[in-house]
Amino acid sequence: MLAKRTILLLLLGQLLGCSVRPGQGNTGGSDVIQPLWTEHSPNATQPIDSLTCAKVVALLIGIGRYDPANGWEELSSQNDVALMVATLLKRGVNKANIHTLTDQQATKAGIERALKTLADTIPPDSQLIVLYAGHARQIPDNSGDESDGYDEAIVPYDAPPANRNWPDGYLLDDDLNRYITGIRTRLGTAGRLWLIFDACHSQTLNRGRVAQRMRGGIAPLGSSSIKRLQKPGQVVIKAESDWYEGKSTSGKLAPYVLFSATTDGGPNFETTDASGQSLGPLTRAVSEAWANATNAETYRSLFARVAVSMARYAPYQQPGLEGDVDTFTPGCGSVRAFGYTTTGERIRVAWPRQDAALTRILIDMPFVQLAVSQPDLRVDHRNRGYRLLSASNEPLTGDTLSAADCAERIRHYFARNMMLQLHQTSPDFQVRVTMQRVAVKTEQNRTIVTDTLSDRMEVGIPVFSTSPAERVVLTLTNTGPKPAYMTVVDLQPDGTLHVLLPGEGQSVAQYRLMPGQSKSARLRLTEPLGAEVYKILLTPEPIDLRSVLQTRGNSPVQHPYETLFQRTYTTRGMSQTSPLSLSDKTGATAEVVFRVKD
């Protein structure tokens, strides 16, 4: 049974946001990335389903040009809308079915008018996609149905000044809920609603220089009403992913799914694409993941790949998944049935150019380019060492580093991104990956499993603990028709990576799995906290990535995946764009994303 508060209640509760302008960075250099290489498989695609495409309708709302004099910082939301338009057209959606509402058009009345028009006129059985990119805010609840004492609200283009107590100028979740319910009713059970909200509800102000705009930072309008509303004995429950109380397909409503940019109260930092344009990380990740989606993919599996993409440029951010997640995505578009893609993008780095020693090292690294105002990484000179920070100002190193160690960390960051951008599928090589929490204790210097623990999920993503009393059992099962060697690379949120399996001292032969065979390893997770990705490489012959890393690229390589790793150690003047010779015989990749918490 659905609660009175349906989609928009928690939707906006997760997504209140504002922005911080990007820093200026160093002069010279460029924020536009020229890829070192880009390789795609030949056109082994599935045809566009024109009948299904005709049923896809999109409403894309983006508000970025707020009036800073009213306390609302500008965003880059127009780029979110432009990217989604391009993505939809590429997927085969009819241009006439794509409706945009940006800036001056997206007033409170304009948004309400657009939603009402959809509720009145959208053809039944349609597949509706709604994108919102902009600010949102908490407003004191006056009806008693909010566990935290706040209503959530979209901040329209014509919103009142942020310091004025004018709640009528916002579009409250109560009003949005009525429109969305009307739309779902008209769509019917054969229709579908996909909500993509690229905003956040952080109230944390900027902590020092930040290279990216932040969708998060405006405090609630007034005080929470929770004290007035709370009754004796009432339990106040924080609104999180467990708000969903039943299947939304009950009755006559269309099923829905919500992708949100953040759910944990953290800020939503804009990212910068290869062209140097800022945009929301969720919009970018959805576009990247959906571009390679099959026509028979569920929202759950699509979201897993969205989370992997966000782990590349927003590893400390927790995206959210809600609703009927096992329904299928819009079956529209020409996509590869099997194939590969790999890209090597330079890392935009800001560093003190007056530091001659560091500059000499960095300019000799082919994957480093000097950033102008949108760095992926920033190097600060601290006393006698260096500190590496992310674009969102998150420290990536605890202690200060030498210039050589700083360069090595940047090298790891590039290699991690390179691995996250490697995708290959094959009918011959497939794997099922499971991660099981277990309780352990230590007896006579031996770690013993004492119990199997229940899965811990937060908004669609597995969560594991660094507790010494817990371990994770990682199990790989060969579900393909051919034998395969399994290599697992651990891609960590602080930009580092290491070969996890085969472990130190283990033979690669131990991870050669016959069809149907499984192999398990018990692991203890440690810091850094955040979104972590295990990249699984399946190959018909053994590979040794550990040696490539340990010898800094000086060991002989045979396989294209080894060549990828070796490229992180090439210097200027050496070949950097020779083909990798990937093919359907190379192997395949898979990944699993999870979060590590205390």
Side-chain angles (χ1 to χ4, degrees), residues 438-442 447-451 453 467-471 522:
V438 295
V440 298
K441 66 178 181 179
T442 301
T447 302
I448 301 171
V449 175
T450 60
D451 197 7
L453 303 177
S467 168
E470 282 194 25
R471 297 290 188 273
R522 192 172 65 202

Side-chain angles (χ1 to χ4, degrees), residues 8-74:
L8 271 300
L9 170 69
L10 268 85
L11 176 73
L12 289 174
Q14 295 169 351
L15 306 170
L16 299 180
C18 69
S19 71
V20 174
R21 291 182 179 277
Q24 293 303 307
N26 293 293
T27 58
S30 175
D31 289 332
V32 179
I33 296 175
Q34 296 296 327
L36 294 167
W37 70 84
T38 299
E39 293 187 35
H40 299 283
S41 54
N43 292 326
T45 60
Q46 299 172 351
I48 290 177
D49 185 341
S50 57
L51 182 61
T52 303
C53 289
K55 291 186 176 182
V56 178
V57 180
L59 173 62
L60 313 177
I61 305 170
I63 312 172
R65 295 191 176 98
Y66 292 95
D67 184 357
N70 286 335
W72 303 107
E73 292 284 352
E74 292 188 359

Side-chain angles (χ1 to χ4, degrees), residues 331-354:
C332 174
S334 178
V335 297
R336 295 182 180 87
F338 297 101
Y340 61 83
T341 177
T342 173
T343 301
E345 290 186 351
R346 290 181 171 92
I347 306 300
R348 293 165 292 209
V349 183
W351 74 88
R353 292 301 302 278
Q354 68 274 17

Side-chain angles (χ1 to χ4, degrees), residues 21 67 76 98 106 115 118 163 182 189 231 271 306 339 349 362 366 368 410 424 428 472 539 568 573 596:
R21 291 182 179 277
D67 184 357
S76 304
I98 303 173
L115 293 172
L118 284 173
N163 61 356
T189 55
K231 299 176 182 178
T271 183
V306 166
V349 183
L362 296 185
V368 170
I410 295 173
Q424 184 163 18
D428 293 334
V472 175
T539 55
T568 65
V596 180

Side-chain angles (χ1 to χ4, degrees), residues 76-84 213 273 277-280 283:
S76 304
S77 304
Q78 71 278 5
N79 295 333
D80 294 49
V81 172
L83 179 61
M84 280 303 298
R213 293 173 176 174
D273 64 16
Q277 290 194 116
S278 294
L279 73 162
T283 306

Side-chain angles (χ1 to χ4, degrees), residues 68 78 88 128 147 250 327 553 555:
Q78 71 278 5
L88 291 165
L128 176 61
S147 63
S250 60
T327 55
S555 60

Side-chain angles (χ1 to χ4, degrees), residues 103-346:
D103 294 327
Q104 293 93 334
Q105 300 170 324
T107 61
K108 179 181 178 181
I111 297 173
E112 289 185 304
R113 186 163 52 248
L115 293 172
K116 186 176 186 305
T117 298
L118 284 173
D120 292 341
T121 65
I122 190 171
D125 304 342
S126 295
Q127 301 184 58
L128 176 61
I129 301 170
V130 177
L131 167 72
Y132 175 71
H135 289 303
R137 194 177 194 182
Q138 290 182 312
I139 308 291
D141 175 36
N142 60 8
S143 60
D145 56 358
E146 299 282 1
S147 63
D148 61 355
Y150 287 110
D151 278 314
E152 285 71 43
I154 277 179
V155 179
Y157 176 79
D158 58 346
N163 61 356
R164 298 295 182 88
N165 191 8
W166 295 345
D168 291 342
Y170 302 91
L171 194 54
L172 298 182
D173 53 17
D174 297 314
D175 302 319
L176 286 166
N177 181 67
R178 286 192 290 270
Y179 291 119
I180 292 299
T181 299
I183 290 171
R184 293 176 64 204
T185 300
R186 183 169 180 86
L187 290 173
T189 55
R192 201 169 304 152
L193 174 62
W194 182 13
L195 299 162
I196 305 168
F197 268 47
D198 204 333
C200 78
H201 72 294
S202 170
Q203 300 165 29
T204 305
L205 295 176
N206 177 24
R207 301 187 301 269
R209 288 187 296 154
V210 176
Q212 302 287 3
R213 293 173 176 174
M214 185 175 72
R215 300 181 181 184
I218 292 293
L221 184 67
S223 301
S224 169
S225 59
I226 193 65
K227 293 181 179 179
R228 173 176 58 83
L229 298 172
Q230 188 175 357
K231 299 176 182 178
Q234 179 182 7
V235 177
V236 179
I237 302 175
K238 181 182 178 182
E240 293 182 340
S241 60
D242 58 356
W243 70 274
Y244 184 61
E245 297 182 2
K247 295 293 289 182
S248 62
T249 48
S250 60
K252 300 180 180 180
L253 299 179
Y256 79 95
V257 172
L258 159 67
F259 286 12
S260 58
T262 182
T263 57
D264 60 359
N268 178 25
F269 287 100
E270 292 187 345
T271 183
T272 306
D273 64 16
S275 68
Q277 290 194 116
S278 294
L279 73 162
L282 178 64
T283 306
R284 180 181 178 186
V286 167
S287 176
E288 291 176 352
W290 199 21
N292 295 307
T294 67
N295 287 346
E297 183 160 24
T298 66
Y299 286 101
R300 185 193 298 275
S301 62
L302 177 64
F303 179 79
R305 291 193 292 111
V306 166
V308 169
S309 287
M310 285 191 65
R312 180 159 58 95
Y313 34 77
Y316 297 103
Q317 200 165 304
Q318 181 172 332
L321 173 67
E322 307 282 349
D324 298 280
V325 299
D326 291 317
T327 55
F328 290 101
T329 60
C332 174
S334 178
V335 297
R336 295 182 180 87
F338 297 101
Y340 61 83
T341 177
T342 173
T343 301
E345 290 186 351
R346 290 181 171 92

